[in-house]
Amino acid sequence: MTAPPRPGPSDATAPRFEAPWQARIFAAVVSLADAGCFRWEEFQQRLAAEVGRGDGDPGRYYEQWLAAAEKLLAEKGLLTSDGLAGRIAVLRPPPPAAP
């Protein structure tokens, strides 16, 4: 597997995360690939397809990571739509309080 480099905190190539969920999906995908759940190249192919379908907005990159991971895990039988819906419900942040 050729996973992404794991740069140090001051490395200019370090991934940039704007929200905690982005770091979590990045780490989850790398961990799942390291654990042998799928080959890194398989994920790269799914990610490239998601990026290709996108609108070119770099701000949506980790949404594309998430979509690629969901599809790959479903293809591998590691994730069902019911299981995913349940996890989303648990992880979704509560709506902001009304002023």
Side-chain angles (χ1 to χ4, degrees), residues 66 69-85 87:
L66 178 58
E70 289 172 353
K71 289 177 182 170
L72 181 56
L73 293 172
E75 289 172 19
K76 296 286 184 180
L78 299 170
L79 181 68
T80 64
S81 56
D82 288 343
L84 178 59
R87 291 300 299 154

PDB file of all heavy atoms in Angstrom, residues 66 69-85 87:
ATOM      1  N   LEU A  66     -15.130  11.605   1.932  1.00  0.00           N
ATOM      2  CA  LEU A  66     -16.181  10.895   2.643  1.00  0.00           C
ATOM      3  C   LEU A  66     -17.034  10.069   1.677  1.00  0.00           C
ATOM      4  O   LEU A  66     -17.300   8.890   1.925  1.00  0.00           O
ATOM      5  CB  LEU A  66     -17.049  11.885   3.414  1.00  0.00           C
ATOM      6  CG  LEU A  66     -18.231  11.307   4.181  1.00  0.00           C
ATOM      7  CD1 LEU A  66     -17.776  10.270   5.191  1.00  0.00           C
ATOM      8  CD2 LEU A  66     -19.004  12.434   4.849  1.00  0.00           C
ATOM      9  N   ALA A  69     -15.078   7.087   0.460  1.00  0.00           N
ATOM     10  CA  ALA A  69     -14.952   6.079   1.516  1.00  0.00           C
ATOM     11  C   ALA A  69     -16.270   5.326   1.704  1.00  0.00           C
ATOM     12  O   ALA A  69     -16.273   4.096   1.819  1.00  0.00           O
ATOM     13  CB  ALA A  69     -14.523   6.740   2.823  1.00  0.00           C
ATOM     14  N   GLU A  70     -17.375   6.056   1.733  1.00  0.00           N
ATOM     15  CA  GLU A  70     -18.682   5.406   1.896  1.00  0.00           C
ATOM     16  C   GLU A  70     -18.933   4.390   0.787  1.00  0.00           C
ATOM     17  O   GLU A  70     -19.369   3.259   1.047  1.00  0.00           O
ATOM     18  CB  GLU A  70     -19.801   6.445   1.890  1.00  0.00           C
ATOM     19  CG  GLU A  70     -19.846   7.310   3.127  1.00  0.00           C
ATOM     20  CD  GLU A  70     -20.843   8.450   3.008  1.00  0.00           C
ATOM     21  OE1 GLU A  70     -21.425   8.656   1.912  1.00  0.00           O
ATOM     22  OE2 GLU A  70     -21.040   9.148   4.007  1.00  0.00           O
ATOM     23  N   LYS A  71     -18.655   4.780  -0.436  1.00  0.00           N
ATOM     24  CA  LYS A  71     -18.903   3.886  -1.575  1.00  0.00           C
ATOM     25  C   LYS A  71     -17.994   2.668  -1.532  1.00  0.00           C
ATOM     26  O   LYS A  71     -18.439   1.541  -1.762  1.00  0.00           O
ATOM     27  CB  LYS A  71     -18.743   4.650  -2.884  1.00  0.00           C
ATOM     28  CG  LYS A  71     -19.883   5.624  -3.100  1.00  0.00           C
ATOM     29  CD  LYS A  71     -19.716   6.443  -4.351  1.00  0.00           C
ATOM     30  CE  LYS A  71     -20.894   7.424  -4.447  1.00  0.00           C
ATOM     31  NZ  LYS A  71     -20.717   8.401  -5.485  1.00  0.00           N
ATOM     32  N   LEU A  72     -16.723   2.879  -1.224  1.00  0.00           N
ATOM     33  CA  LEU A  72     -15.788   1.764  -1.180  1.00  0.00           C
ATOM     34  C   LEU A  72     -16.142   0.800  -0.052  1.00  0.00           C
ATOM     35  O   LEU A  72     -16.161  -0.419  -0.244  1.00  0.00           O
ATOM     36  CB  LEU A  72     -14.358   2.276  -1.020  1.00  0.00           C
ATOM     37  CG  LEU A  72     -13.262   1.210  -0.991  1.00  0.00           C
ATOM     38  CD1 LEU A  72     -13.293   0.331  -2.233  1.00  0.00           C
ATOM     39  CD2 LEU A  72     -11.904   1.871  -0.825  1.00  0.00           C
ATOM     40  N   LEU A  73     -16.481   1.331   1.108  1.00  0.00           N
ATOM     41  CA  LEU A  73     -16.843   0.464   2.235  1.00  0.00           C
ATOM     42  C   LEU A  73     -18.132  -0.302   1.957  1.00  0.00           C
ATOM     43  O   LEU A  73     -18.267  -1.466   2.347  1.00  0.00           O
ATOM     44  CB  LEU A  73     -16.948   1.280   3.520  1.00  0.00           C
ATOM     45  CG  LEU A  73     -15.620   1.855   4.023  1.00  0.00           C
ATOM     46  CD1 LEU A  73     -15.859   2.795   5.190  1.00  0.00           C
ATOM     47  CD2 LEU A  73     -14.643   0.754   4.390  1.00  0.00           C
ATOM     48  N   ALA A  74     -19.067   0.335   1.273  1.00  0.00           N
ATOM     49  CA  ALA A  74     -20.302  -0.359   0.901  1.00  0.00           C
ATOM     50  C   ALA A  74     -20.000  -1.475  -0.105  1.00  0.00           C
ATOM     51  O   ALA A  74     -20.524  -2.589   0.020  1.00  0.00           O
ATOM     52  CB  ALA A  74     -21.313   0.627   0.327  1.00  0.00           C
ATOM     53  N   GLU A  75     -19.145  -1.191  -1.082  1.00  0.00           N
ATOM     54  CA  GLU A  75     -18.768  -2.205  -2.072  1.00  0.00           C
ATOM     55  C   GLU A  75     -18.104  -3.411  -1.409  1.00  0.00           C
ATOM     56  O   GLU A  75     -18.306  -4.549  -1.836  1.00  0.00           O
ATOM     57  CB  GLU A  75     -17.790  -1.615  -3.097  1.00  0.00           C
ATOM     58  CG  GLU A  75     -18.395  -0.634  -4.056  1.00  0.00           C
ATOM     59  CD  GLU A  75     -17.335   0.054  -4.906  1.00  0.00           C
ATOM     60  OE1 GLU A  75     -16.197  -0.464  -5.013  1.00  0.00           O
ATOM     61  OE2 GLU A  75     -17.637   1.127  -5.464  1.00  0.00           O
ATOM     62  N   LYS A  76     -17.333  -3.157  -0.376  1.00  0.00           N
ATOM     63  CA  LYS A  76     -16.623  -4.223   0.330  1.00  0.00           C
ATOM     64  C   LYS A  76     -17.516  -4.936   1.341  1.00  0.00           C
ATOM     65  O   LYS A  76     -17.082  -5.884   1.976  1.00  0.00           O
ATOM     66  CB  LYS A  76     -15.396  -3.645   1.056  1.00  0.00           C
ATOM     67  CG  LYS A  76     -14.350  -3.063   0.142  1.00  0.00           C
ATOM     68  CD  LYS A  76     -13.606  -4.155  -0.552  1.00  0.00           C
ATOM     69  CE  LYS A  76     -12.482  -3.597  -1.402  1.00  0.00           C
ATOM     70  NZ  LYS A  76     -11.764  -4.659  -2.079  1.00  0.00           N
ATOM     71  N   GLY A  77     -18.744  -4.453   1.510  1.00  0.00           N
ATOM     72  CA  GLY A  77     -19.656  -5.056   2.473  1.00  0.00           C
ATOM     73  C   GLY A  77     -19.348  -4.691   3.912  1.00  0.00           C
ATOM     74  O   GLY A  77     -19.812  -5.342   4.840  1.00  0.00           O
ATOM     75  N   LEU A  78     -18.567  -3.658   4.108  1.00  0.00           N
ATOM     76  CA  LEU A  78     -18.178  -3.229   5.448  1.00  0.00           C
ATOM     77  C   LEU A  78     -19.101  -2.152   6.010  1.00  0.00           C
ATOM     78  O   LEU A  78     -18.982  -1.781   7.173  1.00  0.00           O
ATOM     79  CB  LEU A  78     -16.735  -2.708   5.434  1.00  0.00           C
ATOM     80  CG  LEU A  78     -15.687  -3.730   5.008  1.00  0.00           C
ATOM     81  CD1 LEU A  78     -14.343  -3.062   4.800  1.00  0.00           C
ATOM     82  CD2 LEU A  78     -15.598  -4.847   6.023  1.00  0.00           C
ATOM     83  N   LEU A  79     -20.017  -1.677   5.176  1.00  0.00           N
ATOM     84  CA  LEU A  79     -20.903  -0.596   5.585  1.00  0.00           C
ATOM     85  C   LEU A  79     -22.231  -0.768   4.862  1.00  0.00           C
ATOM     86  O   LEU A  79     -22.254  -0.959   3.652  1.00  0.00           O
ATOM     87  CB  LEU A  79     -20.278   0.762   5.189  1.00  0.00           C
ATOM     88  CG  LEU A  79     -21.022   2.021   5.542  1.00  0.00           C
ATOM     89  CD1 LEU A  79     -21.045   2.222   7.050  1.00  0.00           C
ATOM     90  CD2 LEU A  79     -20.345   3.214   4.892  1.00  0.00           C
ATOM     91  N   THR A  80     -23.303  -0.716   5.610  1.00  0.00           N
ATOM     92  CA  THR A  80     -24.629  -0.776   4.998  1.00  0.00           C
ATOM     93  C   THR A  80     -25.259   0.608   5.080  1.00  0.00           C
ATOM     94  O   THR A  80     -24.853   1.442   5.889  1.00  0.00           O
ATOM     95  CB  THR A  80     -25.533  -1.776   5.738  1.00  0.00           C
ATOM     96  OG1 THR A  80     -25.744  -1.301   7.070  1.00  0.00           O
ATOM     97  CG2 THR A  80     -24.926  -3.172   5.757  1.00  0.00           C
ATOM     98  N   SER A  81     -26.263   0.850   4.267  1.00  0.00           N
ATOM     99  CA  SER A  81     -26.916   2.161   4.306  1.00  0.00           C
ATOM    100  C   SER A  81     -27.587   2.394   5.653  1.00  0.00           C
ATOM    101  O   SER A  81     -27.565   3.503   6.180  1.00  0.00           O
ATOM    102  CB  SER A  81     -27.906   2.323   3.157  1.00  0.00           C
ATOM    103  OG  SER A  81     -28.844   1.282   3.168  1.00  0.00           O
ATOM    104  N   ASP A  82     -28.165   1.342   6.262  1.00  0.00           N
ATOM    105  CA  ASP A  82     -28.760   1.493   7.591  1.00  0.00           C
ATOM    106  C   ASP A  82     -27.699   1.804   8.640  1.00  0.00           C
ATOM    107  O   ASP A  82     -27.889   2.659   9.497  1.00  0.00           O
ATOM    108  CB  ASP A  82     -29.519   0.234   7.997  1.00  0.00           C
ATOM    109  CG  ASP A  82     -30.809   0.050   7.218  1.00  0.00           C
ATOM    110  OD1 ASP A  82     -31.288   1.031   6.613  1.00  0.00           O
ATOM    111  OD2 ASP A  82     -31.334  -1.078   7.214  1.00  0.00           O
ATOM    112  N   GLY A  83     -26.596   1.104   8.562  1.00  0.00           N
ATOM    113  CA  GLY A  83     -25.503   1.355   9.500  1.00  0.00           C
ATOM    114  C   GLY A  83     -24.947   2.750   9.352  1.00  0.00           C
ATOM    115  O   GLY A  83     -24.651   3.433  10.338  1.00  0.00           O
ATOM    116  N   LEU A  84     -24.815   3.194   8.110  1.00  0.00           N
ATOM    117  CA  LEU A  84     -24.321   4.536   7.850  1.00  0.00           C
ATOM    118  C   LEU A  84     -25.287   5.583   8.382  1.00  0.00           C
ATOM    119  O   LEU A  84     -24.881   6.539   9.037  1.00  0.00           O
ATOM    120  CB  LEU A  84     -24.097   4.737   6.348  1.00  0.00           C
ATOM    121  CG  LEU A  84     -23.623   6.121   5.924  1.00  0.00           C
ATOM    122  CD1 LEU A  84     -22.309   6.480   6.590  1.00  0.00           C
ATOM    123  CD2 LEU A  84     -23.503   6.185   4.410  1.00  0.00           C
ATOM    124  N   ALA A  85     -26.570   5.397   8.133  1.00  0.00           N
ATOM    125  CA  ALA A  85     -27.564   6.363   8.615  1.00  0.00           C
ATOM    126  C   ALA A  85     -27.529   6.463  10.139  1.00  0.00           C
ATOM    127  O   ALA A  85     -27.624   7.563  10.702  1.00  0.00           O
ATOM    128  CB  ALA A  85     -28.956   5.963   8.130  1.00  0.00           C
ATOM    129  N   ARG A  87     -24.925   5.865  12.115  1.00  0.00           N
ATOM    130  CA  ARG A  87     -23.695   6.562  12.528  1.00  0.00           C
ATOM    131  C   ARG A  87     -23.798   8.056  12.252  1.00  0.00           C
ATOM    132  O   ARG A  87     -23.349   8.868  13.048  1.00  0.00           O
ATOM    133  CB  ARG A  87     -22.480   5.974  11.812  1.00  0.00           C
ATOM    134  CG  ARG A  87     -22.125   4.586  12.232  1.00  0.00           C
ATOM    135  CD  ARG A  87     -21.789   4.462  13.706  1.00  0.00           C
ATOM    136  NE  ARG A  87     -20.638   5.278  14.048  1.00  0.00           N
ATOM    137  CZ  ARG A  87     -20.388   5.769  15.263  1.00  0.00           C
ATOM    138  NH1 ARG A  87     -21.193   5.541  16.254  1.00  0.00           N
ATOM    139  NH2 ARG A  87     -19.325   6.497  15.491  1.00  0.00           N
TER     140      ARG A  87
END
